[in-house]
Amino acid sequence: MLGRRDVGHRIVVRRIVGDRGGRTLFSDALGELVDLTETHLTLATDSGPLRVPLGEVHRAKRVPPARRPNAAAVVELELASDEAWPAPVRARLGDWLLRTAEGWSGRANSALPVGDPDRPLDEAIDAVTRWYAERGRPAMVNVPLPLAAPVGAALDARGWSARPLVLVQTAPLTAILDAVPPRPELPAPELAETPTPGWYALAARRKAKQSRDHAGPDAANRAGAPRPAATPLGGGPAVELPDAARHILTAVRQVRFVHLYAGPPADGPGPVGGDRRELVAVARGTVTGPGRWLGLSLIEVVPQARRRGLAQQAVRALAGWATGLGATRAFLQVEEHNEAAVSLYRRLGFTTHHTYQTRVEPRRG
């Protein structure tokens, strides 16, 4: 039977779907195993996520990967992603990266175990745990799968928990531009080298929600979580970003921030020196690794403006900008269970390159 060691691998499942005249009917499903609980398994198939009760599973086994990228390609993309999301405090453990950023975002506050840590695996995990403890942070490790599956197995043995599986997806920039025609009737995306206060506020609210989803309702009050801000944006609680978050977002040589506004420009500056127009969508793009990859992040549309194609227009604007810099492909990271986002990115030509899970050490005491 399948186990946690199979998460991130391609499997085939024969499941029971009914019976006809006393004869059991079966259906086969092929995809990447992205979650396995005591009651269900979840596959990422070509037609979308498929959740199967274990009671309906007749047989399941691993199958050879379909055009799975080699280890060098996974490492290249993970390092391009690290460059696009740079934690302000960093160290090395052999080839492994240790990163922390006042607790803002899992990626910037976790170790990246790619390459050789220059010591046995158990000693490397002990060193990671000590490094984070010295900085008053819980130890976390981003485990690319299946590249770092041995690390994941070692963390399983230590009782480390796992956050939802993340799909690292890629697409050619030409495919994105072909998939998203210009929409003159929609607000035109505006690209800036620095984000406005409104952009920060909308991005911060998105991260605050993700923090609550992962760590419970008190997450926003923990060190490094977004703090209350003076001015709300578009209703709902207002938040601001810690200094470490601003570093992550802006400390990249090639970076652009997309703003989409509702309505024409207004006369005069806004109340905080910004634009009086209503900001309805934002996105961030970077070119890293070295100059080949457009990294997409923090694509957010306010609830009242969704399902109009604004997110696609933001992505198109960044794809055009990155193409001008010589980039050829884009990447993004999306949690597997976020079906709406996964469906959007599929329409833009994105497919899963590899996956990762953020592993968290058990709480002490």
Side-chain angles (χ1 to χ4, degrees):
M1 187 57 186
L2 299 173
R4 293 295 305 175
R5 65 188 179 280
D6 299 301
V7 172
H9 291 269
R10 193 170 173 83
I11 67 168
V12 63
V13 175
R14 172 156 290 189
R15 58 191 179 116
I16 301 169
V17 294
D19 66 79
R20 181 180 300 160
R23 181 181 177 185
T24 302
L25 301 179
F26 299 98
S27 177
D28 292 339
L30 179 68
E32 187 171 277
L33 180 65
V34 297
D35 194 21
L36 180 64
T37 71
E38 294 181 356
T39 60
H40 290 76
L41 63 81
T42 303
L43 291 177
T45 72
D46 289 342
S47 57
L50 175 65
R51 191 165 183 259
V52 182
L54 295 185
E56 297 179 3
V57 175
H58 179 63
R59 283 200 299 264
K61 65 177 183 179
R62 282 196 204 181
V63 297
R67 301 191 302 275
R68 185 178 293 279
N70 60 30
V74 173
V75 171
E76 175 193 323
L77 186 47
E78 284 293 327
L79 294 180
S81 174
D82 173 72
E83 184 184 346
W85 199 256
V89 180
R90 308 166 64 84
R92 283 193 173 272
L93 187 71
D95 294 329
W96 289 16
L97 295 175
L98 308 178
R99 309 168 291 189
T100 187
E102 298 181 39
W104 196 78
S105 87
R107 270 184 287 166
N109 290 274
S110 58
L112 179 61
V114 295
D116 184 358
D118 288 343
R119 65 204 70 198
L121 179 55
D122 281 338
E123 293 181 16
I125 295 172
D126 289 340
V128 168
T129 303
R130 287 194 302 271
W131 191 85
Y132 284 97
E134 290 167 358
R135 287 153 183 82
R137 304 297 311 171
M140 298 197 298
V141 179
N142 266 19
V143 181
L145 296 169
L147 175 67
V151 178
L155 298 177
D156 281 338
R158 292 171 176 239
W160 287 44
S161 61
R163 288 184 174 179
L165 194 83
V166 174
L167 310 180
V168 181
Q169 300 197 312
T170 63
L173 293 182
T174 53
I176 295 173
L177 294 170
D178 289 343
V180 185
R183 297 275 301 277
E185 75 277 14
L186 294 179
E190 300 177 18
L191 273 65
E193 295 184 11
T194 57
T196 63
W199 192 103
Y200 273 132
L202 192 51
R205 283 173 52 186
R206 175 185 175 87
K207 276 300 180 185
K209 180 182 183 303
Q210 291 176 339
S211 295
R212 290 192 298 270
D213 290 345
H214 286 310
D218 65 331
N221 297 322
R222 296 179 184 175
R227 301 182 290 269
T231 306
L233 174 70
V239 289
E240 64 180 16
L241 297 178
D243 291 340
R246 294 173 184 267
H247 175 94
I248 290 169
L249 295 174
T250 60
V252 182
R253 189 170 67 87
Q254 297 290 355
V255 61
R256 289 296 183 273
F257 300 89
V258 177
H259 304 69
L260 286 94
Y261 295 93
D267 294 333
V272 290
D275 199 308
R276 289 184 181 273
R277 295 172 297 169
E278 181 187 5
L279 182 63
V280 293
V282 298
R284 174 180 178 269
T286 58
V287 174
T288 60
R292 179 188 172 202
W293 291 101
L294 165 64
L296 298 169
S297 60
L298 293 172
I299 302 167
E300 179 71 358
V301 180
V302 298
Q304 64 270 25
R306 289 174 184 167
R307 301 187 181 279
R308 293 173 51 197
L310 297 179
Q312 295 183 43
Q313 292 301 306
V315 171
R316 177 183 173 83
L318 289 170
W321 164 71
T323 298
L325 293 177
T328 58
R329 296 184 66 82
F331 75 88
L332 53 81
Q333 299 170 334
V334 57
E335 290 186 356
E336 177 274 335
H337 64 72
N338 188 347
E339 296 183 14
V342 171
S343 177
L344 166 65
Y345 300 141
R346 185 184 301 115
R347 294 195 297 273
L348 297 181
F350 282 89
T351 58
T352 298
H353 184 273
H354 65 280
T355 63
Y356 76 76
Q357 276 191 306
T358 299
R359 307 300 301 272
V360 184
E361 71 169 323
R363 291 196 180 195
R364 298 186 182 93

